[in-house]
Amino acid sequence: MERGAAVAIAAAYEKPNYGTALQAFALQHALDELGVPNEILRVEGGLRREIARNRREFYLRHLLDFALYCNKAGLARSVLRRKLDARFRAEWARRCEPFARFAGEHLRFSPAFDGMEALREGCRSYRAVLVGSDQTWLPVNA
């Protein structure tokens, strides 16, 4: 796809839940119906690693923010269970697999970007970038 004529979609498609998967699909489908060339920005490789590092640094900077950690207690429990409980880890992998398959079969993606700077530079080649997920605005993703 020629990027100069295309619109990029920033979506949290990689999260294994129905809301993020359907939001990414619906926005891409709506643009297709309008005849607007588009692709979802791929979050893999160097970009995924950089996002993960930034998230760890965010939580370390806010280590004493009790309210933040209370709000994230469910997420923290899930992460710990995936690390410590083999049965839960297997169930989680079984849950993630259909979402990955759905994305592979129904979504179109950009090439992978090797970090945030490459993403910034790559986005300049699109006609526009649509933010298609409220998740991208979370402070932890800044």
Side-chain angles (χ1 to χ4, degrees), residues 86-104:
R87 195 177 91 220
F88 184 78
R89 188 171 40 253
E91 289 171 11
W92 183 260
R94 208 169 31 254
R95 174 188 168 105
C96 291
E97 192 276 328
F99 286 96
R101 189 174 56 245
F102 176 84

Side-chain angles (χ1 to χ4, degrees), residues 100-120:
R101 189 174 56 245
F102 176 84
E105 292 174 3
H106 298 286
L107 303 176
R108 284 183 317 284
F109 294 99
S110 72
F113 295 97
D114 193 29
M116 292 299 249
E117 187 54 40
L119 175 63
R120 277 191 222 47

Side-chain angles (χ1 to χ4, degrees), residues 9-12 20 23-24 27 130-137:
I9 301 170
T20 56
Q23 175 282 318
L27 181 53
L130 296 178
V131 179
S133 172
D134 62 335
Q135 298 297 306
T136 59
W137 299 111

Side-chain angles (χ1 to χ4, degrees), residues 14-30:
E14 76 282 2
K15 308 288 186 203
N17 70 57
Y18 295 107
T20 56
L22 292 175
Q23 175 282 318
F25 175 76
L27 181 53
Q28 189 162 65
H29 180 73

Side-chain angles (χ1 to χ4, degrees), residues 41 47 50 54 113-126 129 142:
L41 296 170
L47 181 58
E50 192 169 332
N54 291 345
F113 295 97
D114 193 29
M116 292 299 249
E117 187 54 40
L119 175 63
R120 277 191 222 47
E121 187 60 37
C123 284
R124 289 186 179 109
S125 66
Y126 291 99
V129 177

